[in-house]
Amino acid sequence: MFDALAERLEDAWKKLRGQDKITPSNIQDALQEVRRALLSADVNLQVVKNFIADVEKAAVGAEVISGVNPGQQFIKIVYDELVKVMGESNVPLAQAKTVPTVILMAGLQGTGKTTATAKLALYLRKENRSCLMVATDVYRPAAIDQLITLGKQIEVPVFELGSQANPVDIATQGLAKAKEMGMDTVIIDTAGRLQIDEEMMVELARIKKAVNPNDTLLVVDAMTGQEAANLSRTFHEQIGITGAILTKLDGDTRGGAALSVRQISGQPIKFIGVGEKVEALQPFYPERMASRILN
Ligand code: GDP
């Protein structure tokens, strides 16, 4: 496992061979290789710095286990630390004590928010949970049609009031409709912009206040690597997220955004998107992502 990193660590761990303890001085080259590996996996620079400091803390003082390749021992320390930072285990969706559970979707335009709304609805439907999707993105008229089309495809109803209505009203009425229909879960798709802007944040905050969601999920495009850190910081500070969905992991991106989002917001990645199809959603598992980042 982790052959690429192992190879790069070859020179670094020669320094560890024959030594009985990992010390701040004999570990520097190895840390430098991990730093490079994380940066090439698109982890945000500040996140890398914090992570390397954690790894150093975890590794220094460790006995070099005789009979075990010190490089492999070091990689295990890095892997364990990555898993720890990403939250150790999968964190499921929140569930309301009294139905419906409300899930608010947030994120920039093009990240896969509308697709993720439908993916999540299908995922829940497969668990025998009933769902209503609510279309509040009135700025991109195609977004409402897109959700309606997806709704038909997965046989999940969509609540919408056209593109002239106020998004906060749509969300409020959508929630009331879900209650009336006896739905188990309501997923609210919201408007995104190409960049974070004040108006979008204010509107999102208003919707959030109006529907009091159990989960506010930030949808993040894994291919945006470095940007993912700023995005999660801003959304968490201004809106308060409870988790994230990392999309487009079917590409060859190494998934460094997962580490950035988790470390910066402190909130778990709950799902990953692995394709354009509505079925292409999987729960997030820290161990799998750690392997992907290190490979
Ligand atoms: P929104 O503007 O955030 O609502 O984004 P959309 O849901 O409209 O998605 C934007 C584009 O990304 C569409 O072409 C989707 O098919 C595509 N997309 C969404 N999720 C994924 C994914 O996990 N993998 C891939 N490859 N494409 C995705």
Side-chain angles (χ1 to χ4, degrees):
M1 203 155 60
F2 315 134
D3 293 345
L5 180 62
E7 217 168 274
R8 282 198 299 256
L9 278 166
E10 189 125 11
D11 285 339
W13 75 53
K14 276 185 191 144
K15 295 198 175 153
L16 285 175
R17 213 165 278 155
Q19 307 210 22
D20 55 358
K21 268 198 179 10
I22 296 178
T23 66
S25 64
N26 67 18
I27 204 182
Q28 287 312 315
D29 290 353
L31 288 175
Q32 185 59 25
E33 287 306 330
V34 175
R35 186 177 289 124
R36 279 198 201 117
L38 293 177
L39 287 173
S40 75
D42 253 342
V43 181
N44 171 271
L45 185 59
Q46 191 54 48
V47 173
V48 172
K49 281 189 183 154
N50 295 342
F51 181 76
I52 294 292
D54 288 348
V55 170
E56 188 168 1
K57 232 182 276 163
V60 166
E63 310 273 339
V64 174
I65 305 165
S66 61
V68 175
N69 178 327
Q72 290 300 344
Q73 185 187 346
F74 179 70
I75 286 179
K76 173 84 169 69
I77 294 172
V78 175
Y79 171 82
D80 288 348
E81 200 58 33
L82 256 184
V83 173
K84 195 168 127 196
V85 173
M86 286 194 293
E88 316 257 6
S89 59
N90 170 261
V91 179
L93 290 171
Q95 243 175 305
K97 286 199 186 80
T98 36
V99 292
T101 294
V102 181
I103 302 174
L104 184 64
M105 307 292 277
L108 294 184
Q109 192 175 310
T111 52
K113 198 164 10 73
T114 302
T115 312
T117 301
K119 284 177 175 178
L120 211 48
L122 180 63
Y123 181 87
L124 292 172
R125 221 202 64 190
K126 284 182 181 165
E127 293 195 327
N128 291 324
R129 288 171 60 177
S130 56
C131 240
L132 178 69
M133 300 192 288
V134 179
T136 74
D137 186 357
V138 296
Y139 309 101
R140 186 168 69 93
I144 299 176
D145 296 339
Q146 188 184 346
L147 203 61
I148 293 171
T149 307
L150 288 167
K152 279 190 189 132
Q153 197 183 325
I154 61 173
E155 294 173 26
V156 168
V158 174
F159 180 86
E160 52 102 10
L161 293 174
S163 57
Q164 299 304 312
N166 176 298
V168 180
D169 292 341
I170 306 173
T172 314
Q173 290 187 41
L175 176 55
K177 185 75 183 172
K179 283 182 186 162
E180 187 190 308
M181 293 167 81
M183 288 295 180
D184 170 88
T185 305
V186 50
I187 310 178
I188 303 173
D189 187 21
T190 63
R193 306 279 156 84
L194 289 174
Q195 290 172 342
I196 295 168
D197 79 34
E198 185 64 22
E199 228 175 289
M200 168 175 77
M201 287 301 188
V202 169
E203 185 178 283
L204 202 52
R206 283 199 187 121
I207 296 178
K208 189 178 177 202
K209 193 156 174 257
V211 299
N212 192 20
N214 302 92
D215 252 325
T216 302
L217 301 179
L218 177 65
V219 180
V220 183
D221 180 341
M223 301 206 292
T224 56
Q226 295 288 324
E227 227 354 79
N230 299 334
L231 196 69
S232 44
R233 178 178 293 112
T234 310
F235 272 82
H236 194 47
E237 281 174 4
Q238 298 195 17
I239 307 295
I241 61 169
T242 57
I245 298 182
L246 207 55
T247 62
K248 308 190 189 178
L249 274 164
D250 45 312
D252 52 12
T253 163
R254 298 252 305 281
L259 185 61
S260 303
V261 171
R262 173 74 205 216
Q263 208 197 59
I264 293 216
S265 71
Q267 302 305 308
I269 317 277
K270 295 199 170 182
F271 289 93
I272 58 171
V274 290
E276 294 191 63
K277 297 213 171 88
V278 272
E279 297 83 11
L281 184 79
Q282 298 171 359
F284 173 80
Y285 290 105
E287 299 88 352
R288 286 185 206 163
M289 192 56 75
S291 303
R292 181 171 178 150
I293 290 173
L294 289 182
N295 258 324

